[in-house]
Amino acid sequence: MDTLFYTHPSFLSHNPGPGHPESPERLRAVWKALDAPQFNLLIRREAPAGSLDQVKLIHDAEYVETIMSSIPARGLVQLDPDTSLSPGSGEALIRGIGATCAAVDAIMAGDADNAFCAVRPCGHHAEPARAMGFCIFNQIAVAAAHARVAHGLSRVAVVDFDVHHGNGTQAAFQADPGFFYTSTHQSPLYPGTGSRNEKGLGNIVNIPLPHGTGSEAFRQAVESEMLPALEAFDPEFIFISAGFDAHYSDPLAGLNFNAEDYYWITRELMHLADRHCNGRIVSMLEGGYSMEGLEQSTAAHVKALMQDL
Ligand SMILES: [Zn+2]
C-alpha cells in the first residue's frame, strides 16, 4: 500500500505543562517508532495549515473564535481541569486540522491508499462547543465532515479504539445520518459516556468493555458487533481515532490490549475498506500515555496500513 504520514514539529509546541500525561514526549515516541527501516517507504509529508472554515464544519463559530483569540503569549490558559492552551497551541491545532483534511484530499486524488496523521493534541473528546479531556478541536470529526463537503461523499465512518469514549465525535455525529461512529472503550472510565443505549439515529454503536478486557474479548467484540455494523453502514471513507491507551502498559487505563491487537484491527478495517470504499482510510493519533505502548502500537498499526491485502 502507499501510505502517507503527516506530522509537524509544531505539534511539540502545544505543551500542557510539566507532569501532564499528554506530553510532547508522546509525539517523539511515535516519531521514533516510525524512524525504523521498515518504514522507509512511508510517504512523509509536513502537515499543512488547515483553515478555520474547516474547523467550523464541526465546531461552533463562536467557540472557534474564542479558542483562537485565547492563545496566550506565555504561560497557560486553562480550558478545563485537564485541558489548556499554551503559546504553541494555535499552530498545532490548525496544522492538526490541516493534516487530517490534507490526508483526505490526497487519498481522494489517488495520491495514496491510506494515511496516518501523528498530531497533538488529541481530539475525540472535543465537542462542537466545548474543550475537554486534553482535546480542543476534534480533528477526526472535522476531516470526516470535510470528506463530505469537499468531496461530495454521503456516508463517512469513524472507528475509535482509544480506551476512552469519544464523546465529542459522538456529539458531532449523532443527529446526522451521513455520519457513523463506533467505539470500543473501557467502561466505567472518563468521560462517562458511551453506553450501549446511546445510539443516535442508529448511527452510533458503542461497545463498552469492562476493566481488564484483553485481546480475545476485544477481538470478539469487534468481530461480532463493530464490523457488522460498519458493513451495514456501507462507508465511503473510514477514519480511525487511533488511541493506543488500551495497551496493557498504559498508566491511565485498565485494558490489556497489545500491539498485535492494533495490527489485527487495522487489517480488519482495511479489508472492510477494500470492499466498501476502495481502501480509503485516514487514521489519526488520539491518546496513548505509555511511551513503550505508543512506540510498539504505532509501529504495528502503521505496518498494517503499509502492507498489501
Ligand atoms: Zn484516550
Side-chain angles (χ1 to χ4, degrees), residues 122 124-125 133-134 160 162-165 189-190 243-246 250 252-253 286-289:
C122 37
H124 71 156
H125 294 307
F134 316 162
D160 186 335
D162 188 282
V163 79
H164 303 97
H165 179 243
L189 190 67
Y190 183 90
F244 299 116
D245 39 10
D250 198 273
L252 296 195
E286 297 276 4
Y289 306 96

Side-chain angles (χ1 to χ4, degrees), residues 116-130:
F116 178 67
C117 304
V119 312
R120 284 188 58 254
C122 37
H124 71 156
H125 294 307
E127 296 183 348
R130 178 161 73 146

